[in-house]
Amino acid sequence: MRDDIRKNFASDNVTPACPAVMQAIADANVGNVPSYGHDTLSLTLNQRFGEVFGAEVAVFPVATGTATNSLALSAMVPPYGAVLCDQSAHINTEEGGAPEFFTQGAKLIGIPSPEGRMDPQALPPVLQHNREKGVLAPPFAALSLTQATEWGTTYPCKTITQLTSIAHEYGLTVHMDGSRLGNAIAFLDCTPAETTWQAGIDVLSFGGTKAGAMAAEAIIFFLNERTRPMVASMAHRIKRSGHSWSKQRFLAAQLLALIDNDVWLENCRHANIMCQRLLHGLHKHPAAHLPFATESNEIFVVLPEPQLDSLREEGYQFYTYPTPQGVPGKLVRFVTSFYTRPEDVDALLTSLVS
Amino acid sequence: MRDDIRKNFASDNVTPACPAVMQAIADANVGNVPSYGHDTLSLTLNQRFGEVFGAEVAVFPVATGTATNSLALSAMVPPYGAVLCDQSAHINTEEGGAPEFFTQGAKLIGIPSPEGRMDPQALPPVLQHNREKGVLAPPFAALSLTQATEWGTTYPCKTITQLTSIAHEYGLTVHMDGSRLGNAIAFLDCTPAETTWQAGIDVLSFGGTKAGAMAAEAIIFFLNERTRPMVASMAHRIKRSGHSWSKQRFLAAQLLALIDNDVWLENCRHANIMCQRLLHGLHKHPAAHLPFATESNEIFVVLPEPQLDSLREEGYQFYTYPTPQGVPGKLVRFVTSFYTRPEDVDALLTSLVS
Amino acid sequence: MRDDIRKNFASDNVTPACPAVMQAIADANVGNVPSYGHDTLSLTLNQRFGEVFGAEVAVFPVATGTATNSLALSAMVPPYGAVLCDQSAHINTEEGGAPEFFTQGAKLIGIPSPEGRMDPQALPPVLQHNREKGVLAPPFAALSLTQATEWGTTYPCKTITQLTSIAHEYGLTVHMDGSRLGNAIAFLDCTPAETTWQAGIDVLSFGGTKAGAMAAEAIIFFLNERTRPMVASMAHRIKRSGHSWSKQRFLAAQLLALIDNDVWLENCRHANIMCQRLLHGLHKHPAAHLPFATESNEIFVVLPEPQLDSLREEGYQFYTYPTPQGVPGKLVRFVTSFYTRPEDVDALLTSLVS
Amino acid sequence: MRDDIRKNFASDNVTPACPAVMQAIADANVGNVPSYGHDTLSLTLNQRFGEVFGAEVAVFPVATGTATNSLALSAMVPPYGAVLCDQSAHINTEEGGAPEFFTQGAKLIGIPSPEGRMDPQALPPVLQHNREKGVLAPPFAALSLTQATEWGTTYPCKTITQLTSIAHEYGLTVHMDGSRLGNAIAFLDCTPAETTWQAGIDVLSFGGTKAGAMAAEAIIFFLNERTRPMVASMAHRIKRSGHSWSKQRFLAAQLLALIDNDVWLENCRHANIMCQRLLHGLHKHPAAHLPFATESNEIFVVLPEPQLDSLREEGYQFYTYPTPQGVPGKLVRFVTSFYTRPEDVDALLTSLVS
């Protein structure tokens, strides 16, 4: 059974914490220090993330991605408002209604798109219709994009700029769910700035856990005239939702360990390379059908069901999804991570392709 | 400045994690394992805590005490209901409105009591009046007690039994905020069972962070006909509030490390002993006035203001409180912990009493 | 301009109150009587509506349809749950997020259907998928149907039975938005019982305002093992949302006036007849396209845009909708009511068809 | 029993609607008119109330006082904020948690005062302490005053100015619950302006129902730099809570009937006179104890319990309250209204004093 620890491709959140994070936690575990973010590590977050993004930022560390997304949206959208997102967005389908809870009942309106990437052309009619409904429909107050998307694709920076321009024109602010931001940046070979605030993103959910942390994410406000008024409420929102750690040094330590020496980007780059290795192997599979481009560390592939049963018997773990109509087989997701080794991918491929 | 890590008596949450917890985290950091509580450590929580309390329990681990209290109450009280508590209760005064957020607007009604301990005789008139108000007042659905209390006192088990009997008679369920439960148990020299479910407690917030964890608490339902219907909703409530860790093994590992070999109780016992050492020293202080009994790891003392300024100059940290009227000086709280050494107490006393 | 009071086909809520309702209000305006539902009129509601529906019911009067739907759902769905409905449902698109507010953030999930009628075959896969998502998706707790639908069609009683059977099998309770229930009953020529509780409906929003009231609707629980536990919370929910009238006699009087002598059904029958009169006239229109069956008091028709401009110039009022793709012209809705006279319809037709 | 319609002194909400209101409703019941506030009556509300108060105002009509107070507060206080009020305030004790519901969980903090009137000197320490708590306590965002108070007293305009000045200094906006505003104005012999915006009130709950309406109140924003940003959200908040009437003309008609020719003030003045008549009679009662000044249309009096039983047997209705300690007898409230006749008071006095 011990080998199974290398056969879990279900998600990048099944991983341990990476060594740099574990070391940082141990280093932080010294002495009494002020609680609730008044420790010296927490106090450097704004500056250090500001350097990473080349921008003035306000950073709020929390332990989970769901909290990060939901807290961000709660500062962007009034309870009577609405969030526009892709139909497949994590906030819309995987977070148990957390955005509705934190925003106090705002409505998420998801629009369909073929690969999890919203089409800029799809936005104006939806925004216009909403505006014309007046009080009958909750007014859109935020657009939320996911980078990389739920289907393993990424938004080109230019597309993000188009989307945020339209959103801003209609008075919305723009959130990015960056649970796998590092993977997107590694794929696009761009800077953190280029795919976020330089493309018009106002508020970012910075993903740490999937990139190697134990439990650490950050809500990052890129300071501008739209976001400055939001920042003041965040400490209250975080406390009120029980997401303020008394021993916050341990959240800060994880995040700082990830951005020191680009550990997060290195981890994500490795995960992407493992994913491409898997992709190349799958191309040799006679029956594999890949419905989406593979642009991060997730690969979606339709495989024959008997083969999936065999994999499971061997100890492999992975998620399956409703399969596109008319395609024989079952849609499967394999996720790689910083912890995936080439030999782990090769072993999986051997089971699959041989 | 380095010495100051021993001069922080502001709270027991300024501490590092204890060695057993750190070791458990390191031990858990191996391999890919199922996420969101399907790991082997998480799966043993119910059994292991059941052994500690000698009862059938359902255990839900989260990272903060505010989340623990609020999630517990959200399962006990409908949005249109009310919680009865002591006026000084942490849920009423220190959690930034989190109980109101998680319960979706239930009302906390705090009644005054001299030492933070609710008086059983005070309950019936309040409960009766509420019942008679009908729809005009949110109906009481839960009673919340704090053990040890906010003023460093503890409830005798017999008093808890009296309070829970009245509450149950009026149809309320009973919650215990056990942020410092270990300190109360150590002081009372009772079993965990005696001061909780055997005294009528239905739901417990089990405090781990102040007892030595990095960030780990647990909502514990003592299974009975009142609590069984609550348990089913908990996984939804935790996910929806962003308190479900993907890498939950790290929460479970901390909690298990605390209860293994009674580490939490040993840590709390040590903290109490340090507090009594401080108390004995303070008795020699000519001007010190102690308004409450010292029955856990918190000591409240009125001291002359100039002396407090001196302490601060020496690097000491502590909280001050509104001082009882007519008493000269300033009310101060000193909190000891598993991390406090005898020499740390003695140094403080030297500064104070000499 | 005075003639324009007969040219408003925008909705059946632009109408005055019908004579029977006005008389009942005047009759009720005598003397001091107990407030908040303790008056004699309010106290007869359960019995009188029980007679109308041939069932044991609990009736709660409020002033608006949005409040009725939302209060009903708030008793059926926990804050962390979900409501399944048609994509076009009023609760999903026209109520400004009220269901989300009253349920405290439950999620409405709308599925598409060609004529606003949910297809029983569409339900099982959606319900099954939701069940499999576990805590990741808010669990469905209620199904909501609209009778008559938003597109002027009606559900055959048999279809309702099929839908409610599936819903109950999956543990959902079933709500009917009966804002135009009288129109549906008049069209189907069935009894109030047949299209509601006998077809499996648990909770009904009984529409009064569009049927001739000034401002009066009712939440009606058909008492069974699913609904009995909901009833107890309703008085609290209504008070807490500010929907409890101190002078409740005036709500009760309106509702009783509507059901006395079947005034509501007569009013709705008249409205339907006026709508059929309009339909017959439109059939002579060379360019009119009618996308939906006309089965209540609403008619949807695609007309050439220049003609609509002319109508508006003549003082006519009506709503327009996004037009089905590829169809030339503009989708328009005309709504008739108890207040519509044959000559009003004929005048409109003259303007349209001549 | 018919005579009992004159023996109900329980509240001023047991009354019918006054003739002017009934006439206005009948007059409004003509023709189809635009719904949801686009009718001509609704469109004059801002101007007409502006004339009454001599100020620029934004007026939002709803049917109940609880909705009025709660909707007002929801625009003034964020979900994570707090409202400061008198402990006896209606919003704090009589509205079933509605303010908590509409504000999405804001906390009401009531401070005690002898006669239901907050003492300006009591505010600064409470506001200062709240400020120092930081994120631990929901920050105060609004002060709410009740004019006339829950105990039948009134605030002198000068005291209101003192309270609002302190509140504004601390960044709070100020709400007035004017459920019995007309009675206070009649007692103080001041203008509507003097006791509201000229004394620093930002938002007013204008009470109509107790002053003679069927069901009509208004949220009135006195436009200034603090209130202008609140106004924009109100239409959304009202729709979302189901308080937007489709046939809104009937709300507007009631309110306009009240302010036309000062009907509301005349009604309230009459009620006050009846109350003073009752007061004079009670002074002759050998055992009556009056704990509060009688400054509106409510009188609180401690009477011997046997006498109350007799009154009830005669058909009289009234509320009783927890009696001040040490006072023999029972605290009773009698409320007079526009509908109370001198002979009704005299009959009550005959039963009481003779």
Side-chain angles (χ1 to χ4, degrees), chain B residues 103-119:
Chain B
T103 61
Q104 314 259 179
K107 201 170 177 86
L108 272 65
I109 296 181
I111 57 174
S113 63
E115 290 202 318
R117 267 187 298 245
M118 302 178 89
D119 178 354

Side-chain angles (χ1 to χ4, degrees), chain A:
Chain A
M1 266 313 261
R2 183 55 203 274
D3 277 357
D4 290 359
I5 66 167
R6 294 295 186 172
K7 290 180 174 171
N8 192 331
F9 289 84
S11 177
D12 32 8
N13 65 25
V14 301
T15 55
C18 71
V21 164
M22 289 303 284
Q23 187 58 49
I25 289 173
D27 292 349
N29 197 47
V30 177
N32 288 330
V33 305
S35 48
Y36 291 117
H38 298 285
D39 63 281
T40 48
L41 293 177
S42 295
L43 292 172
T44 65
L45 286 171
N46 286 355
Q47 189 202 314
R48 294 293 312 285
F49 272 90
E51 289 160 11
V52 169
F53 284 94
E56 199 185 351
V57 296
V59 178
F60 298 91
V62 294
T64 76
T66 295
T68 310
N69 285 335
S70 296
L71 282 162
L73 291 172
S74 76
M76 301 170 76
V77 182
Y80 55 80
V83 178
L84 181 59
C85 62
D86 192 80
Q87 208 168 50
S88 70
H90 206 263
I91 55 171
N92 195 35
T93 65
E94 308 292 318
E95 299 189 347
E100 287 87 351
F101 178 52
F102 281 78
T103 61
Q104 315 258 178
K107 200 171 178 83
L108 272 64
I109 295 182
I111 57 174
S113 61
E115 292 203 318
R117 265 188 298 245
M118 302 178 90
D119 178 354
Q121 298 199 337
L123 263 59
V126 173
L127 293 169
Q128 190 59 36
H129 181 65
N130 178 265
R131 186 178 277 182
E132 286 163 9
K133 296 280 284 189
V135 298
L136 301 181
F140 282 122
L143 170 71
S144 181
L145 309 176
T146 310
Q147 175 79 312
T149 77
E150 295 302 310
W151 297 116
T153 58
T154 60
Y155 282 99
C157 299
K158 195 177 145 187
T159 308
I160 296 175
T161 301
Q162 291 172 323
L163 289 161
T164 61
S165 298
I166 296 164
H168 288 153
E169 199 181 312
Y170 276 85
L172 286 70
T173 52
V174 189
H175 167 253
M176 175 176 275
D177 177 353
S179 160
R180 293 189 181 93
L181 178 65
N183 304 98
I185 289 172
F187 175 81
L188 294 167
D189 200 19
C190 66
T191 66
E194 283 167 350
T195 197
T196 57
W197 67 274
Q198 287 182 355
I201 298 300
D202 295 303
V203 188
L204 171 68
S205 292
F206 177 86
T209 309
K210 289 167 179 165
M214 175 184 291
E217 315 268 320
I219 308 151
I220 300 182
F221 291 85
F222 298 107
L223 296 185
N224 60 38
E225 76 277 9
R226 291 180 298 273
T227 59
R228 279 183 203 279
M230 301 172 183
V231 173
S233 72
M234 287 310 295
H236 291 290
R237 295 181 190 279
I238 291 170
K239 178 67 194 166
R240 188 180 187 236
S241 58
H243 283 289
S244 179
W245 280 26
S246 56
K247 302 184 180 176
Q248 193 184 301
R249 58 170 128 173
F250 292 112
L251 280 178
Q254 293 181 66
L255 289 169
L256 294 170
L258 285 179
I259 59 175
D260 267 353
N261 306 310
D262 286 343
V263 165
W264 66 301
L265 290 175
E266 288 313 309
N267 281 351
C268 290
R269 192 166 290 127
H270 175 82
N272 285 8
I273 292 169
M274 291 301 102
C275 200
Q276 289 297 323
R277 188 181 188 100
L278 181 55
L279 177 66
H280 275 84
L282 282 171
H283 281 151
K284 297 181 195 142
H285 192 293
H289 168 72
L290 292 132
F292 310 122
T294 302
E295 303 180 345
S296 60
N297 64 323
E298 295 188 306
I299 199 161
F300 289 86
V301 57
V302 183
L303 290 170
E305 296 219 37
Q307 191 163 36
L308 300 178
D309 294 339
S310 306
L311 277 186
R312 285 195 193 92
E313 274 164 38
E314 288 183 53
Y316 281 101
Q317 295 185 49
F318 46 86
Y319 281 106
T320 60
Y321 293 78
T323 310
Q325 235 173 347
V327 178
K330 187 84 188 159
L331 182 60
V332 179
R333 182 183 76 162
F334 295 111
V335 190
T336 55
S337 74
F338 77 89
Y339 189 68
T340 310
R341 299 171 306 185
E343 56 265 42
D344 302 335
V345 173
D346 296 345
L348 171 60
L349 283 169
T350 302
S351 294
L352 270 173
V353 183
S354 64

Side-chain angles (χ1 to χ4, degrees), chain D residues 155-173:
Chain D
Y155 283 99
C157 298
K158 196 177 147 189
T159 309
I160 296 176
T161 301
Q162 291 172 323
L163 289 161
T164 61
S165 297
I166 295 164
H168 289 151
E169 199 181 312
Y170 276 85
L172 286 69
T173 51

Side-chain angles (χ1 to χ4, degrees), chain D residues 15-80:
Chain D
T15 56
C18 72
V21 163
M22 288 303 283
Q23 187 60 48
I25 288 174
D27 292 347
N29 197 46
V30 176
N32 288 329
V33 305
S35 48
Y36 291 118
H38 299 283
D39 64 280
T40 48
L41 293 177
S42 295
L43 292 172
T44 65
L45 286 170
N46 286 355
Q47 189 202 312
R48 295 294 311 287
F49 272 90
E51 289 160 11
V52 170
F53 285 94
E56 200 186 351
V57 296
V59 178
F60 298 90
V62 295
T64 74
T66 296
T68 310
N69 284 335
S70 297
L71 281 162
L73 292 172
S74 75
M76 300 170 77
V77 182
Y80 54 82

Side-chain angles (χ1 to χ4, degrees), chain B residues 92-97 100 105 107-108 129 133 135-138 322, chain D residues 92-97 100 105 107-108 129 133 135-138 322:
Chain B
N92 195 36
T93 65
E94 307 292 318
E95 299 189 347
E100 287 87 350
K107 201 170 177 86
L108 272 65
H129 181 66
K133 295 281 285 190
V135 299
L136 301 182
Chain D
N92 195 36
T93 66
E94 307 291 319
E95 300 189 347
E100 286 86 351
K107 200 171 177 85
L108 271 64
H129 181 65
K133 296 280 285 190
V135 298
L136 300 182

Side-chain angles (χ1 to χ4, degrees), chain D:
Chain D
M1 270 309 264
R2 182 56 202 273
D3 277 358
D4 290 0
I5 66 168
R6 294 296 184 173
K7 291 179 173 171
N8 192 329
F9 289 83
S11 177
D12 32 9
N13 65 25
V14 301
T15 56
C18 72
V21 163
M22 288 303 283
Q23 187 60 48
I25 288 174
D27 292 347
N29 197 46
V30 176
N32 288 329
V33 305
S35 48
Y36 291 118
H38 299 283
D39 64 280
T40 48
L41 293 177
S42 295
L43 292 172
T44 65
L45 286 170
N46 286 355
Q47 189 202 312
R48 295 294 311 287
F49 272 90
E51 289 160 11
V52 170
F53 285 94
E56 200 186 351
V57 296
V59 178
F60 298 90
V62 295
T64 74
T66 296
T68 310
N69 284 335
S70 297
L71 281 162
L73 292 172
S74 75
M76 300 170 77
V77 182
Y80 54 82
V83 178
L84 181 60
C85 61
D86 191 80
Q87 207 168 50
S88 70
H90 206 262
I91 56 170
N92 195 36
T93 66
E94 307 291 319
E95 300 189 347
E100 286 86 351
F101 178 51
F102 280 78
T103 61
Q104 315 259 176
K107 200 171 177 85
L108 271 64
I109 296 181
I111 58 174
S113 61
E115 292 202 318
R117 266 188 297 246
M118 302 178 90
D119 178 355
Q121 298 198 337
L123 262 59
V126 173
L127 293 168
Q128 190 59 36
H129 181 65
N130 177 265
R131 186 178 276 182
E132 286 163 8
K133 296 280 285 190
V135 298
L136 300 182
F140 281 123
L143 170 70
S144 180
L145 310 176
T146 309
Q147 175 79 313
T149 77
E150 295 302 312
W151 296 116
T153 58
T154 60
Y155 283 99
C157 298
K158 196 177 147 189
T159 309
I160 296 176
T161 301
Q162 291 172 323
L163 289 161
T164 61
S165 297
I166 295 164
H168 289 151
E169 199 181 312
Y170 276 85
L172 286 69
T173 51
V174 188
H175 167 253
M176 175 176 276
D177 177 353
S179 160
R180 293 190 182 94
L181 178 65
N183 303 98
I185 289 172
F187 174 80
L188 295 168
D189 199 20
C190 67
T191 66
E194 283 167 350
T195 197
T196 57
W197 67 274
Q198 288 182 356
I201 297 300
D202 295 303
V203 188
L204 170 69
S205 294
F206 177 87
T209 308
K210 289 167 179 165
M214 174 184 291
E217 315 268 321
I219 309 149
I220 299 182
F221 291 84
F222 298 107
L223 296 185
N224 60 38
E225 77 278 8
R226 292 180 297 273
T227 59
R228 280 181 203 280
M230 301 172 183
V231 173
S233 72
M234 287 309 295
H236 292 291
R237 295 182 189 278
I238 291 171
K239 178 66 194 166
R240 189 179 186 236
S241 58
H243 283 288
S244 180
W245 281 26
S246 56
K247 302 183 180 176
Q248 193 184 302
R249 57 172 130 173
F250 294 112
L251 280 177
Q254 294 181 67
L255 290 169
L256 293 171
L258 286 179
I259 59 176
D260 267 354
N261 306 311
D262 286 344
V263 165
W264 67 300
L265 290 175
E266 288 312 310
N267 282 350
C268 291
R269 192 166 289 127
H270 175 82
N272 284 8
I273 292 168
M274 293 301 101
C275 201
Q276 290 297 324
R277 188 181 187 102
L278 182 55
L279 177 65
H280 275 85
L282 282 170
H283 281 151
K284 298 176 194 144
H285 192 294
H289 169 72
L290 291 132
F292 311 122
T294 301
E295 303 179 345
S296 59
N297 62 324
E298 295 188 305
I299 198 160
F300 289 86
V301 57
V302 183
L303 291 169
E305 296 220 37
Q307 190 164 38
L308 300 178
D309 293 339
S310 306
L311 277 185
R312 284 197 194 91
E313 273 164 40
E314 289 183 51
Y316 281 100
Q317 295 185 49
F318 47 84
Y319 281 105
T320 60
Y321 293 77
T323 310
Q325 235 173 346
V327 179
K330 187 83 190 160
L331 181 60
V332 179
R333 181 183 76 162
F334 296 111
V335 189
T336 55
S337 74
F338 76 90
Y339 189 69
T340 310
R341 299 170 306 183
E343 56 264 41
D344 302 336
V345 172
D346 295 344
L348 172 60
L349 283 169
T350 302
S351 295
L352 268 173
V353 183
S354 64

